[in-house]
Amino acid sequence: MKMHPLITGMTGLLLLGLCSCGEKLFTADVNCSDCYAPKPDSAYMEVNVTINDSFPEVPLVFYRGPAEDRDVEYIDTAYSSPYYLWVKVDRSYSVKAKYRKARATLYAVDGTKIRLALVTDACDQDCYVIENEKVDLTLRKKFSSVGDH
C-alpha cells in the first residue's frame, strides 16, 4: 500500500518534533495546581523517614549522585516526616538516614533523579510537573523497634 507523500511528510515532521524536543511530555492525569509555569529550575525533594518513640530524630546526609561518591550536598536532622529539601531539578541525588538506638545503628539509603515533564494539553497553558521527587527511607516494621530487648 502506497501512502500519499503529504501524509508521509506530515507524519515525519510530527515525529521529528516530538523526538527533538528533549523534554518528556507528560500524558497522565494532571492536577493543574501542581503544574508550574515558567519552567522551574528547583523543586522540593520529599524524604520520608521513620519518626517514633524509638527514633525521635534521624540524621540525614544528602549527596549529589550516588552516596558512594560522597559528594555531600547538605546535612541536617529530621524531627518529623516527611522532610523537605529545596534542590535543583534534572539532577541525581542520594540520601542516607542514620537510625541510632542504644548500641545499634541502622542506615537506610535511597536515591532519585528529580525530573520535569512538560504538560501541553491539560491546563490553561503549557506547564511542568515534577516527577521522582520522593525518597523513602522509612524502616520496615521489624526494624522500627531495634534495640528494644
Side-chain angles (χ1 to χ4, degrees), residues 37-73:
K39 183 178 181 177
D41 64 355
S42 300
Y44 281 106
M45 180 190 314
E46 179 181 311
V47 180
N48 292 292
V49 294
T50 299
I51 300 290
N52 58 27
D53 290 341
S54 297
F55 303 104
E57 61 184 42
V58 179
L60 301 171
V61 179
F62 295 81
Y63 300 95
R64 289 180 290 272
E68 297 82 24
D69 291 352
R70 298 182 183 199
D71 187 5
V72 176
E73 172 85 9

Side-chain angles (χ1 to χ4, degrees), residues 15 18-19 25-26 50 68 82-83 87 93 100 112 119 122 125-126 145-146 149:
L15 289 174
L18 288 175
C19 296
L25 291 177
F26 193 77
T50 299
E68 297 82 24
Y83 176 97
V87 296
Y93 295 94
R100 293 180 298 217
T112 189
V119 176
Q125 62 180 344
D126 288 359
S145 60
V146 69
H149 296 288

Side-chain angles (χ1 to χ4, degrees), residues 81-139:
S81 184
Y83 176 97
Y84 294 95
L85 182 65
W86 188 251
V87 296
K88 296 284 187 185
V89 296
D90 293 325
R91 292 189 183 169
S92 294
Y93 295 94
S94 298
V95 186
K96 181 168 69 172
K98 183 177 184 179
Y99 292 94
R100 293 180 298 217
K101 181 153 187 208
R103 293 184 303 263
T105 301
L106 290 172
Y107 292 95
V109 180
D110 194 11
T112 189
K113 181 172 185 180
I114 300 175
R115 298 178 187 264
L116 297 176
L118 177 62
V119 176
T120 59
D121 60 355
C123 301
D124 292 338
Q125 62 180 344
D126 288 359
C127 55
Y128 295 86
V129 292
I130 298 163
E131 297 181 315
N132 303 326
E133 75 278 13
K134 295 181 182 180
V135 174
D136 185 7
L137 299 172
T138 56
L139 294 177

